[in-house]
């Protein structure tokens, strides 16, 4: 309608001053449909031409907001409701002649056709909406089946899963996501199985270790009780043995407690600027009598100070334990060497001996709880098999590493590195 009005306005631009004949020709020539009415007005809003037959207002002034707007140069399209006929669309455009607004073309049209069109579209909308809803419903049901039923299967498998039988518990083919979920679960269950195994062997080892001295104590005291006549000297001998076993028990329990403390992280590190060279020197000094007792030459490779952030008490335990081991597992006449070095970013502590050594197959096990290469020898020298597992845990707490090189009957070298963490 707007473009029709513009065409009329252009065609009649030259005729605004009096040529009403041509205006009529143009307007009727447009062949507008009978439901629309075209009114041409001059710049005073006086009707020059009107296509209406039964309500012709030619010669009258028609004042409407849209027409006044058009006289100010604004093209207007709007609708209004009229009783009986319904929605009417109206448009008003200005007629420009010699770059002045010379009049207005005003067209009204009953919108019954447009209404019908809109109704049709509305219907189409309803139908499409219903169809889409139904499709979504069906699709959701299918998707739910595709997604939920495998998850249900997986859940059923998982709840039946037995951690003890095997690691590869859940197998799943089909959906990539579910396959990776199953893989993650298998991984987790593998780790749980491993942990469970460790826990079990720990408990059984601990019970065994505690039981051994207890059995000795029982045996010793029963022997004393079973002797009808017993002299003071023999009682003293038995009692000394019993006390020794009790000391052993206390030592194991003490170490177990310190391990659990480390496990639960009840005791956090207290890092302080520490001279680890001075510390290892002191340890060597304190262990020198023990070594000399065994005829072992213990030396400390003195260097300048080696400063880093460390928990002195814990690092003391670490170096003390491995130096103590070196003395313990070195026969008479051997030698032990302790050295602390500055590696730039790290601090390295090495303890070397020329003792019994460790067989290659045992090298990665000596850090396990209760593991001892030679149980009898270790027990004889007061070992519990817990020392190195505590050492390893303490080194790890410092963010460091411990490694071992060893040759049977030639000697062992323990190497610890911890980051300096200065600045
Ligand atoms: N310097 C070493 N030379 C030879 N064997 C060693 C040395 N240090 C540790 N081991 C072996 O590693 C085992 C575990 O050490 P550790 O945890 O300290 O237990 P233990 O209480 O027996 O000393 C020891 O029983 C010993 O067999
Ligand atoms: Mg030890």
């Amino acid at each position: 309608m707007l473009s029709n009005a513009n065409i009329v306005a252009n065609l009649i631009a030259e005729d605004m001053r009096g040529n009403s004949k041509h205006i009529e020709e143009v307007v009727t020539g447009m062949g507008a449909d009978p439901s629309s009415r075209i009114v041409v007005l001059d710049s005073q809003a006086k009707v020059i031409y009107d296509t209406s037959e039964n309500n012709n207002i030619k010669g009258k002034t028609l004042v409407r907001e849209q027409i006044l707007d058009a006289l100010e140069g604004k093209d207007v399209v709007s609708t209004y409701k009229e009783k009986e006929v319904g929605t009417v669309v109206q448009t008003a455009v200005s007629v420009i002649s010699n770059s002045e607004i010379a009049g207005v073309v005003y067209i009204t049209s009953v919108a019954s056709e447009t209404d019908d069109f809109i109704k049709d579209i509305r219907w189409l909308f309803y139908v499409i909406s219903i169809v889409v809803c139904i499709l979504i419903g069906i699709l959701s049901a299918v998707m739910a089946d595709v997604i939920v039923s495998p998850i249900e299967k997986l859940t059923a498998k998982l709840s039946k899963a037995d951690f003890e039988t095997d690691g590869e518990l859940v197998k799943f083919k089909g959906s990539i996501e579910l396959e990776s979920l199953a893989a993650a679960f298998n991984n987790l269950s593998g780790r749980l199985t491993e942990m469970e195994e460790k826990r079990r062997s720990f408990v059984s080892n601990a019970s065994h270790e505690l039981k051994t001295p207890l059995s000795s104590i029982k045996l010793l005291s029963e022997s004393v009780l079973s002797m009808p006549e017993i002299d003071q000297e023999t009682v003293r001998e038995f009692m000394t043995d019993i006390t020794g076993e009790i000391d052993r028990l206390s030592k194991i329990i003490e170490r177990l407690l310190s391990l659990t403390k480390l496990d639960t992280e009840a005791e956090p590190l207290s890092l302080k600027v520490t001279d680890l060279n001075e510390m290892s020197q002191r340890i060597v000094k304190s262990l020198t009598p023990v070594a000399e007792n065994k005829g072992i030459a213990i030396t400390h490779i003195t260097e300048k100070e080696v400063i880093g952030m460390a928990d002195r008490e814990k690092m003391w335990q670490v170096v003390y334990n491995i130096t103590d081991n070196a003395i313990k597992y070195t026969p008479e006449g051997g030698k032990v060497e302790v050295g602390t070095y500055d590696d730039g970013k790290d601090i390295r502590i090495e303890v070397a001996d020329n003792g019994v050594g460790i067989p290659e197959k045992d090298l990665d096990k000596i850090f396990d709880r209760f593991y001892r290469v030679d149980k009898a020898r270790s027990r004889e020298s007061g070992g519990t098999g817990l020392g190195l597992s505590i050492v390893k845990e303490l080194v790890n707490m410092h963010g460091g590493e411990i490694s071992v090189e060893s040759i049977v009957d030639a000697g062992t070298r323990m190497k610890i590195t911890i980051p300096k963490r200065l600045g």
Side-chain angles (χ1 to χ4, degrees), residues 53-237:
E53 269 160 24
N54 42 19
N55 190 19
N56 202 299
I57 51 167
K58 185 170 175 183
K60 292 184 185 154
T61 305
L62 181 59
V63 181
R64 283 212 173 148
E65 195 189 324
Q66 290 76 12
I67 292 168
L68 296 179
D69 280 348
L71 280 173
E72 280 174 9
K74 270 185 270 172
D75 291 353
V76 196
V77 180
S78 63
T79 60
Y80 65 91
K81 291 258 191 234
E82 201 172 276
K83 269 186 210 154
E84 287 160 23
V85 284
T87 307
V88 177
V89 185
Q90 57 180 345
T91 177
V93 302
S94 43
V95 179
I96 294 169
S97 167
N98 297 332
S99 51
E100 264 178 38
I101 295 173
V104 173
V105 175
Y106 177 65
I107 304 180
T108 58
S109 178
V110 176
S112 59
E113 275 180 40
T114 338
D115 268 1
D116 286 349
F117 181 60
I118 289 173
K119 265 183 211 152
D120 282 352
I121 288 186
R122 206 171 277 168
W123 255 106
L124 207 64
F125 257 123
Y126 288 147
V127 172
I128 289 176
S129 307
I130 291 168
V131 170
V132 167
C133 282
I134 292 172
L135 280 180
I136 288 177
I138 295 172
L139 205 68
S140 313
V142 172
M143 290 300 277
D145 199 48
V146 167
I147 294 171
V148 173
S149 77
I151 290 182
E152 275 172 358
K153 271 194 244 163
L154 189 63
T155 316
K157 277 189 183 185
L158 294 193
S159 49
K160 266 190 273 165
D162 180 359
F163 292 116
E164 289 159 31
T165 47
D166 57 326
E168 191 69 15
L169 296 163
V170 183
K171 288 200 185 81
F172 219 92
K173 284 252 171 308
S175 148
I176 293 172
E177 290 83 359
L178 287 172
E179 263 177 51
S180 57
L181 182 65
F185 173 80
N186 287 334
N187 186 354
L188 180 71
S189 78
R191 291 222 306 268
L192 280 174
T193 315
E194 209 174 286
M195 268 168 64
E196 175 65 14
E197 249 156 46
K198 270 196 182 156
R199 191 190 64 84
R200 238 184 243 190
S201 82
F202 178 71
V203 171
S204 94
N205 282 335
S207 323
H208 179 75
E209 292 300 327
L210 294 171
K211 215 177 152 230
T212 321
L214 273 178
S215 313
S216 306
I217 293 171
K218 190 169 154 59
L219 204 71
L220 289 163
S221 56
E222 271 174 0
S223 320
V224 175
L225 288 174
S226 66
M227 286 181 212
E229 277 167 30
I230 185 165
D231 63 291
Q232 195 68 22
E233 192 53 35
T234 321
V235 172
R236 180 173 289 276
E237 215 171 274

Side-chain angles (χ1 to χ4, degrees), residues 354-369:
N354 61 354
V356 296
I358 302 163
E360 210 182 325
K361 65 171 173 53
D362 295 310
L363 276 181
D364 55 344
K365 295 191 204 132
I366 57 167
F367 299 102
D368 292 350
R369 294 172 183 191

Side-chain angles (χ1 to χ4, degrees), residues 255 321 324-325 328-329 383 387-388:
R255 292 202 160 175
N321 261 302
D324 177 56
N325 276 348
K328 229 159 57 177
Y329 300 106
L388 283 182

